[in-house]
């Protein structure tokens, strides 16, 4: 390792230059360790460079004297002299320090959660208002509507959807062979939120719509509120037509809201059509998918209203007892009949 | 400083006196070098700390012992025991829909990390591991609920047992949420407590749901 560092120091003049630059806090010190040439001869300029740097780091030499002495044996083993061993060691040290500084700077930049802090700066009242507004389509589409770039509400809605899906999967016949229930739910919900947001953002870029990524994430996240309500209700009351009513009504309202906001931010008929058509289709189809893929309607229960002699569900592992579901179903059917 | 210019201390004046280092009691020395103590002492000390925190969770008062000396032993023990008890039992059955050990483990830790990040982003003053510690320890009531559910299920799996289990799980879920809220909500700005409590509610709801819908094969 020391041999390679020495090769780097001696072999290339330009590398030597870049090594000294970061000492003043400048650019990058990327050393290509693979193309080392240990036996390359040194040029006079390089040696001059080395001497210059040695003089600058004179205070470290005393501390590293012993280390240098230990490196001399290494140097002799590789056929280098003691002086170059010390140089190599200092160069390697400098490389290490610069690399560490770079890494800690990068880490503090990317792992700093303060980047996300402004997107979580909300009050509970604001969240509630936005939740309710996400079901109300705006009428004014000639004026760009304001979208709050906030991530708390959407994130909580995605997690709520995950919880509701879990609840739905466990009260139905879903058997997941590969992967766990939780993994599937999380993957589906987060995949939809992030994936469809990115896709619509890409389309918006193509269609010249005025929307940023965070705003798109926020818009789609709040659009999942309708999904949450629909699924929560229909997972407990297994009633086919009820689901379709909710799908069109609640799902349709939240889709209309998103579509209206996007339309207000896009110019041109074709672009509006493409963007909003895609979003509406994906949003509504997702709700349909969640209901039918994760929920198997046991139609026997609705057809055979036999009271306490009801045949048990064909279920696996865990389920809530038959009684509560049957009661809910019969109540719903009775209400529908009386209406 | 000008007045001090004419103060001179001649080198011939001997400095006399006594320098005594006050020998403090034996205990601080032992705190610094716990390598020499017998293993039993170390284990008992950690166990006592964990036990004290368990008691704090069961009777949530506004004490800062949980927060100050955080440790993750208790959460680990609770998480492992809960995951073991939630094992489907019929590991070789093809239709096993029960949560696997890894699933429960990941849910608990991933959920705790997400809640901690959320509370930090909302302006919380509590540190990362302190929050993890509190959330982990507050799983204790739900572990107790799991034990009770398992015992009740030994007696039979009818409607009555379901009602008992429902009551127990709901009570313990409320206890967990209240306990963790008592510790965590204080570190938030007062008008944002609801924003922090909701994810905690969701987290314990998911765990309670897993406990409630558990049926041994």
């Amino acid at each position: 390792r020391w041999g390679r560092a020495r090769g780097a120091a001696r072999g290339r003049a330009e590398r030597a230059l870049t090594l000294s630059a970061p000492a003043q806090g400048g650019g990058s010190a990327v050393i290509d360790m693979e193309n080392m040439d240990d036996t390359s001869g040194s040029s006079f300029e390089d040696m001059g460079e080395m001497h210059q740097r040695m003089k600058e780091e004179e205070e470290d030499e005393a501390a590293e004297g012993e280390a240098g002495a230990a490196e001399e044996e290494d140097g002799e083993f590789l056929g280098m002299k003691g002086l170059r061993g010390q140089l190599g060691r200092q160069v390697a040290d400098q490389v290490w320090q610069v690399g560490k500084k770079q890494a800690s700077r990068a880490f503090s930049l990317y792992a700093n959660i303060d980047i996300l802090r402004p997107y979580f700066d909300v009050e509970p009242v604001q969240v509630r208002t936005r939740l309710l507004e996400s079901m109300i389509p705006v009428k004014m589409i000639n004026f760009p509507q304001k979208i709050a770039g906030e991530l708390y509400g959407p994130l909580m809605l995605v997690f709520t959807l995950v919880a509701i899906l879990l609840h739905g999967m466990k009260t139905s016949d879903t058997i997941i062979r590969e992967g766990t229930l939780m993994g599937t739910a999380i993957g589906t919900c987060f995949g939809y939120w992030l994936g469809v947001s990115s896709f619509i953002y890409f389309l918006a870029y193509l269609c010249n719509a005025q929307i940023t990524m965070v705003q798109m994430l926020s818009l789609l996240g709040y659009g999942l509120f309708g999904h949450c309500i629909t699924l929560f209700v229909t997972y407990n009351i297994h009633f086919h037509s009820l689901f379709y009513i909710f799908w069109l009504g609640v799902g349709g309202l939240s889709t209309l809201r998103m579509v209206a906001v996007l339309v207000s931010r896009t110019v041109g008929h074709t672009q509006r059509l493409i963007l909003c058509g895609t979003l509406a289709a994906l949003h509504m189809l997702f709700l349909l998918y969640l209901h039918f893929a994760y929920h198997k309607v046991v139609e026997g229960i609705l057809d055979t209203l036999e009271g306490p002699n009801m045949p048990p569900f064909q279920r696996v592992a865990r389920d809530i007892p038959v009684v509560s579901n049957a009661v809910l179903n019969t109540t719903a059917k009775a209400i529908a009949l009386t209406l | 400083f000008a007045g001090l210019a004419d103060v001179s201390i001649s080198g011939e004046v001997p400095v006399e006196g006594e320098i005594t280092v006050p020998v403090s009691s034996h205990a601080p020395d032992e705190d610094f070098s716990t390598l020499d103590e017998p293993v039993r002492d170390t284990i008992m000390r950690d166990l006592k700390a964990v036990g004290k925190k368990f008691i704090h969770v069961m009777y949530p008062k506004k004490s800062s012992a949980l927060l100050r000396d955080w440790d993750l032993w208790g959460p680990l023990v609770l998480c492992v025991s809960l995951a073991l008890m939630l094992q489907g039992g019929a590991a070789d059955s093809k239709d096993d829909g029960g949560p696997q050990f890894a699933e429960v483990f990941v849910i608990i830790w991933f959920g705790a990390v997400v809640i901690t990040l959320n509370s930090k982003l909302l302006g919380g003053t509590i540190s990362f591991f302190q929050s993890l510690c509190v959330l982990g320890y507050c799983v204790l009531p739900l572990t107790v609920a799991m034990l009770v559910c398992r015992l009740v299920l030994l007696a039979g799996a009818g409607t009555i047992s379901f009602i008992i289990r429902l009551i127990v799980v709901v009570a313990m879920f409320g206890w967990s949420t209240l306990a963790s809220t008592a510790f965590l909500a204080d570190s938030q700005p007062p008008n944002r407590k609801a924003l922090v409590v909701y994810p905690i509610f969701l987290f314990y709801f998911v765990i309670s749901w897993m406990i409630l819908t558990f049926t041994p094969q």
Side-chain angles (χ1 to χ4, degrees):
Chain A
R1 211 176 92 231
W2 300 121
R4 285 194 189 144
R6 262 174 262 134
R10 287 185 297 107
R12 296 152 204 228
E14 68 276 12
R15 294 265 188 225
L17 282 172
T18 53
L19 274 177
S20 61
Q24 285 98 36
S28 66
V30 177
I31 302 293
D32 190 8
M33 290 298 217
E34 285 151 27
N35 299 340
M36 283 311 115
D37 192 2
D38 282 335
T39 58
S40 65
S42 70
S43 61
F44 270 99
E45 297 101 89
D46 283 352
M47 287 314 293
E49 195 88 27
M50 290 304 128
H51 278 298
Q52 178 87 28
R53 232 180 293 123
M54 266 191 66
K55 283 194 188 96
E56 285 168 9
E57 293 172 327
E58 228 166 335
E59 61 270 15
D60 294 329
E61 276 183 29
E64 291 174 348
E66 292 162 28
E71 289 305 317
E72 272 182 32
E73 295 159 17
D74 196 18
E76 277 167 24
F77 170 75
L78 287 169
M80 314 295 172
K81 294 300 171 199
L83 182 65
R84 292 172 197 171
Q86 249 180 345
L87 278 171
R89 182 135 187 355
Q90 281 166 11
V91 162
D93 241 353
Q94 197 177 15
V95 165
W96 166 250
Q97 269 163 20
V98 168
K100 199 164 81 158
K101 224 186 316 180
Q102 294 262 321
S104 67
R105 216 186 304 153
F107 179 75
S108 66
L109 187 67
Y110 291 114
N112 197 1
I113 60 166
D114 281 336
I115 297 176
L116 292 175
R117 211 178 274 271
Y119 303 125
F120 281 74
D121 192 14
V122 284
E123 306 290 319
V125 180
Q126 282 178 317
V127 175
R128 199 178 57 216
T129 319
R130 283 174 195 162
L131 278 177
L132 292 173
E133 273 176 7
S134 75
M135 304 297 294
I136 305 173
V138 286
K139 293 213 176 78
M140 207 164 38
I141 58 173
N142 297 318
F143 184 73
Q145 294 296 316
K146 189 163 149 340
I147 309 175
E150 169 225 334
L151 288 180
Y152 173 82
L155 201 63
M156 287 306 126
L157 277 171
V158 172
F159 279 123
T160 312
L161 191 62
V162 169
I164 293 177
L165 276 185
L166 272 185
H167 166 57
M169 279 198 277
K170 286 176 186 178
T171 59
S172 76
D173 257 347
T174 307
I175 302 167
I176 308 282
R177 296 274 154 81
E178 294 116 28
T180 62
L181 286 176
M182 190 75 189
T184 316
I186 289 188
T188 310
C189 296
F190 269 97
Y192 174 76
W193 183 47
L194 296 172
V196 171
S197 287
S198 319
F199 179 61
I200 300 289
Y201 176 66
F202 169 66
L203 276 187
Y205 171 75
L206 289 180
C207 299
N208 278 330
Q210 305 287 323
I211 196 166
T212 67
M213 185 66 191
V214 173
Q215 283 175 331
M216 189 60 225
L217 281 171
S218 179
L219 192 66
L220 193 66
Y222 274 113
L224 286 175
F225 183 53
H227 283 24
C228 286
I229 296 180
T230 311
L231 290 173
F232 183 65
V233 168
T234 56
Y235 276 159
N236 287 316
I237 307 181
H238 307 280
F239 208 22
H240 236 26
S241 4
L242 187 67
F243 168 70
Y244 283 121
I245 295 172
F246 265 85
W247 180 61
L248 282 175
V250 177
L253 269 180
S254 70
T255 311
L256 269 178
R257 153 109 189 145
M258 289 199 301
V259 157
V261 170
L262 270 184
V263 157
S264 74
R265 286 171 164 249
T266 320
V267 248
H269 281 300
T270 324
Q271 286 96 325
R272 282 178 171 181
L273 198 62
I274 296 174
L275 203 54
C276 303
T278 322
L279 181 60
L282 284 173
H283 206 61
M284 301 295 273
L285 285 176
F286 184 58
L287 185 52
L288 218 57
Y289 167 72
L290 284 181
H291 186 261
F292 287 111
Y294 284 170
H295 176 82
K296 203 162 104 182
V297 176
V298 185
E299 281 162 317
I301 279 301
L302 293 177
D303 290 341
T304 64
L305 291 171
E306 287 166 358
N309 295 336
M310 201 147 336
F313 285 2
Q314 306 300 318
R315 284 189 182 164
V316 201
R318 308 151 285 167
D319 60 62
I320 55 178
V322 168
V323 179
S324 54
N325 259 343
V327 166
L328 277 172
N329 285 345
T330 49
T331 321
K333 190 139 194 185
I335 293 175
L337 283 173
T338 51
L339 287 176
Chain B
F1 279 82
L4 292 175
D6 39 353
V7 171
S8 63
I9 302 173
S10 98
E12 300 148 354
V13 176
V15 175
E16 287 183 22
E18 271 188 27
I19 300 178
T20 53
V21 175
V23 176
S24 48
S25 63
H26 224 30
D29 277 346
E30 280 178 0
D31 276 350
F32 289 121
S33 69
T34 55
L35 275 178
D36 295 335
E37 62 180 11
V39 173
R40 189 174 164 274
D41 279 354
T42 315
I43 294 181
M44 286 312 294
R45 189 175 56 232
D46 284 335
L47 277 178
K48 276 197 204 125
V50 169
K52 207 162 33 163
K53 293 204 186 73
F54 277 160
I55 295 177
H56 273 295
V57 169
M58 293 313 273
Y59 300 104
K61 300 188 293 271
K62 296 250 187 317
S63 85
S64 58
L66 246 190
L67 294 180
R68 212 176 35 231
D69 316 311
W70 61 267
D71 74 89
L72 292 178
W73 281 116
L76 181 69
V77 162
L78 287 173
C79 183
V80 167
S81 57
L82 190 63
L84 281 175
M85 285 195 280
L86 272 175
Q87 278 271 287
D92 42 23
S93 148
K94 268 191 316 226
D95 296 338
D96 180 38
Q100 304 304 309
F101 183 89
E103 183 185 347
V104 178
F105 212 81
V106 163
I107 288 174
I108 293 183
W109 289 105
F110 179 66
V113 165
V114 164
I115 295 177
T116 309
L117 282 178
N118 174 60
S119 77
K120 278 189 83 70
L121 282 168
L122 284 172
T125 55
I126 205 171
S127 94
F128 183 74
F129 284 111
Q130 280 172 342
S131 175
L132 271 188
C133 166
V134 168
L135 286 168
Y137 270 104
C138 290
V139 172
L140 176 66
L142 287 169
T143 313
V144 167
M146 183 70 218
L147 259 170
V148 171
C149 281
R150 267 223 115 130
L151 291 173
V152 167
L153 278 171
L154 281 178
T159 317
I160 298 182
S161 93
F162 174 73
I163 293 179
I164 297 177
R165 280 187 291 141
L166 180 68
I167 293 175
V168 167
V169 168
V170 166
M172 292 299 162
F173 160 65
W175 198 336
S176 280
T177 313
L178 279 174
S180 60
T181 311
F183 288 113
L184 286 180
D186 276 345
S187 64
Q188 293 293 326
N191 52 340
R192 294 205 182 162
K193 289 206 164 81
L195 296 183
V196 175
V197 168
Y198 179 69
I200 300 179
F201 169 85
L202 213 54
F203 175 61
Y204 288 127
F205 177 77
V206 168
I207 300 181
S208 318
W209 187 250
M210 283 197 294
I211 293 175
L212 189 59
T213 58
F214 172 75
T215 329
Q217 292 294 73

